[in-house]
Amino acid sequence: MRKDKQLKRRLYSVLLLVFICGGQIFKGTGYALASETEALPVPAAVTEIDLGEYQSQMKVGEKQLLSVTVLPAEAADTKITYSSGNPGVAEINGAGRITALNVGMAEITVSSGGISQRFTLTVVSGEVPVKDIDLGDYQSEMKVGERQLLGITILPENATDTKVSYSSGNPVVAEINEMGRITAQSEGKTEITAACGGVSKKFTLTVAEANTAVRDIDLGDCPAEIEVGTSQLLSVTPIPTDAGEQSVTYKSSDTKIATVNEIGRVTGIAIGKADITVSCGKVKKKFSLKVIAAKDENEKIPVKDIEISDHEDELEVDKTMNLSVTVLPANATDTTVTYRSSDEKIATVNSSGEVKGIGAGKVTITVSAGNVSKSVDLTVKYATAKIEMNTTYLVLKEGDTFQLSAKVLPATADQGITYESENPDIISVTGGGLVTAKKSGSGTVLVKNSDTSTAVMVIVNLEGRTQEPEQQESAGKTQTEYGTEVSVKDCPLVSSDMLRYLYENGKVLTLHGDGYLLQIDGKDISNWSNEFYTDIEFKEEEKGTSFCVNREQNICGRITLQLEEKTVSGEYLYLYNSSKGKYELLDQKEMHLLKLDSAGKYLITEKKLGNGMVKFAVVLVTAVVLLGLVFVYIGVKKKYWFW
């Protein structure tokens, strides 16, 4: 009996000690025993492995070194192990250096403290195949004895195999060496081929004899008539120019009328006609020459016409334009050109034909030479600087009207204004600028004069303006106030002009979307140049409901997003951090009224996004502690049975 009591006391002591140790382990996983009051420090466990930036695709023979970080930094076990799921494709050493060995795919695994991260590595061939061959500028015709060097380009430029081989289909006609130099051997045709990396290009080369016979004679600008006592040198060219026989002879059919010497100089002897024959090789050409009486040196050649090149019909004040004039015939005795303006208060013109606009109106520039005159009619006007509108943005409801007014600056510019609707099925506009809203949608009214134009954006919806526009006088300018409640369908984009209007007037724009409502408060706008896309699409995902704000582009400032209960439900709001590749929890209490100041992808969830590895570690530690208690109990019980 005494031994039994001692045994029981020992068993109770062991159980109590294990129970206390187990409680400390529980506390290290996030749980505590009800009776404990103080916690002992427990080494931190690995919760995450950051693989850093890595290449998911490599070429055979390439290497890369992984930059791995174990989190948290104070974790007890930070030893990292690496492995490859397919060492024949890619192997990785203990330092994390990957070597691509063969084409294929391999899963790279990084482990530390019971946590593992993996990614699939694709190894592709390191060879870049040849896709095309550019033969460059080559000669398809050569003469016997000539040479040419081909300038070959392999495409793409980073192709692995760039060795080019050359061949001639008929080396007797032309041969080509390994450098691509062609030598013409004899008359005939051959096919030259360049090949590289399984791709080939070819062209036909024609080789002609070096001494080619004359086929034709170009007489050039031979004279049709010549005066008695004057001479003119013929300019004759044998064709082809490289013909072997280049000797040219000349002959006159009547030397009493005209003579021609051995270099082709023709001289008029007497009034009449003679044929001049030119010969080269077996080719002959002739032309008829008329010899006329010599003209009196004192005879004047009159101007017959004046040509004025193309020019503009309008000219702006203080601008200039040059008139280009040609007097015909070119050998007229007096080719002096004069210019005159019909009204120098409108435009002036100098002796060189430069016209300058002085004032608005119509003017005629007269161009004279000899007894011939031509006129140029011009309209001089002031340039339009801009067209000022009483508004450039309207929100109306069906049936509403609004009177547009325009002012052209400066006042001296063309004041003729026209109004045109680019969307007549949605809005109409009269010639006087009265806009009528016909049906829901958006449209544009184009306002223009002869120089420039401007546009007025009009949105038509069911709400429109809550009241007629109010005109307010401020610092001498008229400012129009409009309603600020529209549908997303009618206003898919809030422009920078609209944002600036909200900012400067402290207005709030409300946009009704499908299952949501957007509000942009003018006082929350920090950058009105960041235009805002109003369409938001909600997607159901495994973790919750996601949506993007402003298509992930910078937003103008803080916005309010009110969600209907049917649209989304949840307790936690996350924003995706693209640089870290994960969602980050935001401090947001009310899920149906969101205050957002960042663009990007958001996620609303029912539960917090936990770390599955941490949960697994808690369960594993708990199981180990319970299993330890069972083994201790069995061990003690067996000893008691033995006793």
Side-chain angles (χ1 to χ4, degrees):
M1 290 297 292
R2 187 176 180 181
K3 289 183 178 181
D4 290 344
K5 290 181 180 180
Q6 290 179 349
L7 181 59
K8 288 181 180 180
R9 282 198 295 269
R10 292 175 181 174
L11 178 60
Y12 293 153
S13 298
V14 171
L15 291 174
L16 179 61
L17 179 60
V18 172
F19 186 71
I20 292 174
C21 294
Q24 295 299 326
I25 296 175
F26 267 84
K27 185 169 182 178
T29 61
Y31 300 92
L33 297 177
S35 60
E36 76 175 349
T37 59
E38 296 184 358
L40 296 176
V42 177
V46 176
T47 60
E48 184 181 352
I49 296 176
D50 186 350
L51 296 180
E53 297 182 0
Y54 59 87
Q55 301 175 23
S56 59
Q57 180 173 303
M58 297 175 63
K59 296 179 181 179
V60 173
E62 287 186 341
K63 295 183 179 183
Q64 69 163 308
L65 180 64
L66 296 182
S67 179
V68 177
T69 304
V70 177
L71 300 174
E74 64 272 12
D77 184 8
T78 58
K79 182 180 179 181
I80 303 173
T81 59
Y82 304 90
S83 63
S84 170
N86 193 347
V89 172
E91 63 180 11
I92 183 169
N93 63 17
R97 186 178 299 278
I98 303 173
T99 302
L101 300 177
N102 292 293
V103 176
M105 299 177 70
E107 186 175 67
I108 304 300
T109 303
V110 182
S111 303
S112 179
I115 304 294
S116 295
Q117 283 279 49
R118 299 175 176 83
F119 70 91
T120 300
L121 176 68
T122 302
V123 179
V124 299
S125 174
E127 296 183 357
V128 178
V130 175
K131 295 184 178 180
D132 196 9
I133 298 175
D134 185 355
L135 295 178
D137 296 329
Y138 59 87
Q139 300 175 25
S140 59
E141 294 183 356
M142 297 176 66
K143 292 181 181 179
V144 174
E146 288 185 342
R147 293 183 178 185
Q148 69 164 309
L149 180 64
L150 297 181
I152 300 293
T153 302
I154 305 301
L155 301 174
E157 294 182 354
N158 62 338
T160 307
D161 183 9
T162 58
K163 185 177 180 180
V164 182
S165 60
Y166 302 93
S167 62
S168 171
N170 189 349
V172 175
V173 173
E175 63 180 15
I176 183 169
N177 64 15
E178 60 183 8
M179 299 298 294
R181 186 179 299 280
I182 302 173
T183 302
Q185 305 279 42
S186 61
E187 184 178 6
K189 292 186 178 181
T190 183
E191 200 169 63
I192 302 298
T193 303
C196 179
V199 177
S200 64
K201 279 291 183 71
K202 59 183 67 176
F203 69 93
T204 300
L205 176 66
T206 301
V207 178
E209 288 292 340
N211 295 324
T212 305
V214 175
R215 299 192 300 269
D216 195 6
I217 298 174
D218 183 359
L219 297 179
D221 295 328
C222 55
E225 63 180 31
I226 192 172
E227 295 178 5
V228 173
T230 62
S231 298
Q232 185 169 337
L233 183 66
L234 300 179
S235 179
V236 175
T237 304
I239 297 175
T241 57
D242 57 351
E245 178 59 51
Q246 293 284 336
S247 178
V248 179
T249 60
Y250 304 90
K251 183 180 180 182
S252 171
S253 62
D254 191 344
T255 56
K256 295 180 180 180
I257 302 298
T259 61
V260 56
N261 64 15
E262 60 183 6
I263 64 172
R265 187 179 298 280
V266 181
T267 303
I269 304 299
I271 297 174
K273 290 185 178 180
D275 291 334
I276 305 298
T277 302
V278 182
S279 303
C280 184
K282 297 180 180 181
V283 179
K284 293 183 178 182
K285 279 285 188 75
K286 67 179 180 178
F287 66 93
S288 179
L289 177 66
K290 181 180 180 181
V291 181
I292 61 177
K295 294 180 180 179
D296 186 357
E297 293 182 358
N298 296 322
E299 182 183 359
K300 293 183 178 181
I301 301 174
V303 175
K304 295 182 179 181
D305 195 9
I306 297 175
E307 287 186 354
I308 302 176
S309 63
D310 293 339
H311 56 84
E312 299 291 336
D313 296 330
E314 293 184 347
L315 179 64
E316 294 179 358
V317 173
D318 293 330
K319 299 291 185 180
T320 61
M321 64 180 291
N322 288 292
L323 297 177
S324 179
V325 176
T326 302
V327 177
L328 299 175
N331 63 339
T333 304
D334 185 6
T335 58
T336 303
V337 180
T338 61
Y339 304 88
R340 182 174 59 85
S341 170
S342 64
D343 191 343
E344 293 193 346
K345 293 181 180 180
I346 297 175
T348 61
V349 58
N350 62 18
S351 59
S352 300
E354 182 183 76
V355 183
K356 182 177 182 180
I358 304 299
K362 294 183 180 296
V363 66
T364 299
I365 305 298
T366 302
V367 183
S368 302
N371 295 323
V372 180
S373 295
K374 288 284 185 76
S375 61
V376 176
D377 295 325
L378 294 176
T379 300
V380 181
K381 63 180 182 179
Y382 286 92
T384 302
K386 66 175 180 177
I387 299 177
E388 279 190 353
M389 301 297 303
N390 59 338
T391 183
T392 58
Y393 171 62
L394 280 174
V395 180
L396 304 173
K397 65 181 179 181
E398 294 180 9
D400 276 358
T401 61
F402 184 83
Q403 180 64 52
L404 293 175
S405 63
K407 182 179 180 182
V408 179
L409 297 177
T412 52
D414 180 14
Q415 297 294 319
I417 292 291
T418 60
Y419 299 87
E420 179 184 349
S421 172
E422 292 191 339
N423 310 89
D425 56 328
I426 297 175
I427 54 174
S428 64
V429 61
T430 66
L434 182 64
V435 180
T436 302
K438 300 172 71 173
K439 69 175 184 179
S440 295
S442 61
T444 302
V445 175
L446 195 63
V447 185
K448 58 184 178 179
N449 69 353
S450 59
D451 283 344
T452 187
S453 65
T454 187
V456 177
M457 181 179 180
V458 183
I459 295 176
V460 182
N461 57 28
L462 297 177
E463 292 82 5
R465 304 191 308 271
T466 57
Q467 58 184 11
E468 290 301 314
E470 297 179 0
Q471 302 292 334
Q472 294 183 349
E473 296 294 333
S474 174
K477 290 188 177 180
T478 301
Q479 185 182 48
T480 306
E481 292 187 353
Y482 306 99
T484 51
E485 189 164 353
V486 296
S487 68
V488 168
K489 181 180 179 181
D490 294 333
C491 185
L493 175 68
V494 182
S495 66
S496 57
D497 288 340
M498 296 168 67
L499 292 172
R500 182 170 184 173
Y501 169 79
L502 297 174
Y503 174 81
E504 292 180 346
N505 295 276
K507 299 292 185 180
V508 178
L509 176 62
T510 302
L511 302 115
H512 296 270
D514 185 12
Y516 66 92
L517 182 144
L518 275 170
Q519 283 190 330
I520 303 177
D521 194 333
K523 68 177 184 294
D524 292 332
I525 294 175
S526 58
N527 189 347
W528 63 61
S529 63
N530 291 337
E531 297 181 327
F532 188 81
Y533 292 93
T534 61
D535 57 315
I536 297 179
E537 182 181 359
F538 297 90
K539 296 181 180 179
E540 292 296 330
E541 299 183 1
E542 181 180 355
K543 297 177 181 180
T545 304
S546 67
F547 61 93
C548 287
V549 174
N550 202 34
R551 301 182 183 178
E552 300 190 42
Q553 300 180 20
N554 293 334
I555 61 176
C556 54
R558 174 171 292 186
I559 64 165
T560 300
L561 176 61
Q562 185 175 340
L563 305 176
E564 296 180 5
E565 291 187 3
K566 65 177 182 178
T567 302
V568 66
S569 63
E571 299 293 333
Y572 302 97
L573 178 67
Y574 290 86
L575 175 62
Y576 187 75
N577 188 328
S578 58
S579 63
K580 294 184 179 180
K582 65 180 181 179
Y583 282 101
E584 293 183 344
L585 180 64
L586 301 180
D587 185 13
Q588 180 69 39
K589 304 300 182 185
E590 179 56 54
M591 288 299 110
H592 294 285
L593 188 62
L594 306 178
K595 301 286 186 179
L596 308 176
D597 53 12
S598 296
K601 184 178 181 182
Y602 288 84
L603 179 68
I604 297 178
T605 64
E606 293 285 355
K607 298 179 181 180
K608 280 189 176 182
L609 299 180
N611 192 318
M613 297 304 295
V614 173
K615 293 181 178 179
F616 176 75
V618 171
V619 174
L620 181 63
V621 171
T622 304
V624 170
V625 170
L626 293 177
L627 189 61
L629 290 173
V630 171
F631 279 123
V632 169
Y633 175 76
I634 293 175
V636 174
K637 195 68 176 176
K638 282 185 176 181
K639 186 175 181 180
Y640 171 73
W641 291 334
F642 176 75
W643 285 343

